[in-house]
Amino acid sequence: MTNTKKLFENFRNFVKEGPADDFEKAADAGLYDYTDLLKKIAKDPDFQKIARAGQTDGDETDEVVKVERKSTGVDKLFATQAEIGASNSLDDQMNNGAAFNGNSTAIALGLKGEPIIMPSQDDPPPAILVWNGKHILDGHHRWSQIMMTNPEATVAIDSLSGPALNNAEDALKITQLAIAIAAQNVVTKPFEGANLMTMGTEEVMKYVAENISDEVLQMLVKAGKLESPDKAAAAQYYGRNHKIIQMRRGKFEREKGMPQAGKSGASQDAVNKVLATGTVNYNNPKKSDVSEIKIRVKKK
């Protein structure tokens, strides 16, 4: 074969490849590259066919993800995300959350009952999504609010487990794939502002002393966290909790790989249901996995 013919053949093979081929090749990609690809191809119908072929790939159960609602100590959870917003973690806690009908601090303190589910833009608000009962996949800021205000709390979690999930990165990747299926869209959010996980504890204490409301001080006393409604004592309390949460920092950057089901266009509940069916074709997906059997996945 002449060089010209080789070039033409390579070019013909190249132009034949599309999103489905890219998805096949990305099975072993890291979280960031995998997420970046899903952002580009989520709406492609050929990709969607392969992505939904988990039940027709020769093993109907290998990609079934068990999603269990459980409760656990909030301090038993660990972040996978490297950045957690200081303002997202502290602002509402200083004034009992004006953004959520004045209940954020009361809820975080367990004064509204346990296991705790923090307020959210989703309705109903979801539990914290974790892998293997321990590693947070989605809900970092709901977790950080509770950790900063009440690290002894019991929280509700939706825990993922399954044979396809060998580590937290697998869990993040399969969650992004389920979002791509449920929403036909994948969105991540850039991180903005101060990072609670790297900022100094003295800065946190100063912020608390300057911003905590009298209402929240009384709540902390009621919950047994303070002996008296004293701002300096509250600053010390939040400072201690800040050191605890910093020991649980993750390694993945928010914008490059962290799941955002709601922002992408699907509820967390819808994503969980997709995962539980085994529809998600995560392990070595191939075009040959696709069957004429059609599995419907509804957005919600």
Side-chain angles (χ1 to χ4, degrees):
M1 185 181 289
T2 66
N3 288 338
T4 302
K5 287 183 177 179
K6 285 182 180 178
L7 287 171
F8 177 78
E9 186 69 21
N10 289 338
F11 176 75
R12 187 170 65 179
N13 290 336
F14 172 77
V15 296
K16 281 182 179 179
E17 293 188 351
D21 301 281
D22 294 336
F23 180 56
E24 279 192 14
K25 295 175 181 177
D28 296 324
L31 174 63
Y32 297 162
D33 290 338
Y34 193 80
T35 301
D36 187 59
L37 176 64
L38 293 179
K39 288 179 179 181
K40 296 172 182 175
I41 67 174
K43 290 182 172 59
D44 182 82
D46 291 330
F47 155 73
Q48 285 287 336
K49 288 178 183 178
I50 301 176
R52 299 169 185 239
Q55 292 182 340
T56 58
D57 62 355
D59 188 339
E60 294 183 6
T61 63
D62 64 328
E63 288 139 333
V64 172
V65 176
K66 192 174 183 179
V67 184
E68 292 182 280
R69 174 63 57 90
K70 298 181 177 181
S71 60
T72 190
V74 70
D75 63 337
K76 300 295 191 293
L77 302 178
F78 287 78
T80 57
Q81 186 168 300
E83 318 100 335
I84 294 181
S87 61
N88 299 90
S89 306
L90 290 170
D91 286 1
D92 282 341
Q93 293 302 304
M94 294 298 98
N95 61 16
N96 199 25
F100 294 105
N101 301 317
N103 278 321
S104 286
T105 314
I107 292 171
L109 283 168
L111 298 177
K112 300 291 183 179
E114 289 187 330
I116 294 168
I117 296 180
M118 288 299 290
S120 166
Q121 292 179 343
D122 292 338
D123 186 21
I128 298 168
L129 185 69
V130 306
W131 167 68
N132 206 25
K134 182 177 181 181
H135 300 277
I136 301 168
L137 308 176
D138 193 15
H140 281 86
H141 288 118
R142 286 173 274 135
W143 170 73
S144 64
Q145 288 189 65
I146 303 168
M147 278 293 296
M148 289 300 293
T149 293
N150 184 15
E152 297 85 17
T154 298
V155 297
I157 59 171
D158 284 336
S159 182
L160 307 187
S161 61
L165 308 183
N166 296 310
N167 51 52
E169 188 167 14
D170 274 337
L172 289 165
K173 286 172 62 179
I174 201 170
T175 300
Q176 293 286 35
L177 182 54
I179 290 171
I181 292 171
Q184 297 188 27
N185 189 35
V186 173
V187 171
T188 59
K189 291 177 65 177
F191 180 77
E192 299 175 350
N195 184 1
L196 185 74
M197 305 306 268
T198 57
M199 70 189 299
T201 296
E202 291 295 328
E203 188 177 354
V204 170
M205 292 171 62
K206 183 176 183 290
Y207 177 84
V208 171
E210 292 176 352
N211 290 278
I212 195 165
S213 68
D214 291 338
E215 178 190 13
V216 169
L217 287 172
Q218 293 293 344
M219 287 182 176
L220 290 168
V221 173
K222 182 178 181 180
K225 307 302 180 184
L226 298 179
E227 292 183 0
S228 62
D230 179 73
K231 290 188 176 183
Q236 291 286 338
Y237 174 73
Y238 276 90
R240 289 193 298 273
N241 296 344
H242 180 240
K243 291 177 180 179
I244 295 170
I245 197 173
Q246 284 192 319
M247 293 188 291
R248 291 158 172 76
R249 185 186 181 198
K251 67 177 183 179
F252 296 108
E253 296 179 39
R254 180 179 184 179
E255 185 172 13
K256 292 183 179 180
M258 299 308 297
Q260 297 283 334
K263 296 294 182 184
S264 300
S267 70
Q268 188 60 61
D269 183 60
V271 173
N272 290 352
K273 287 177 180 177
V274 172
L275 289 166
T277 63
T279 298
V280 180
N281 194 15
Y282 178 69
N283 283 334
N284 299 314
K286 297 178 178 63
K287 284 181 279 189
S288 58
D289 295 336
V290 178
S291 167
E292 292 302 315
I293 299 172
K294 295 182 179 179
I295 301 169
R296 295 184 178 180
V297 180
K298 296 181 179 179
K299 286 196 287 185
K300 183 178 179 181

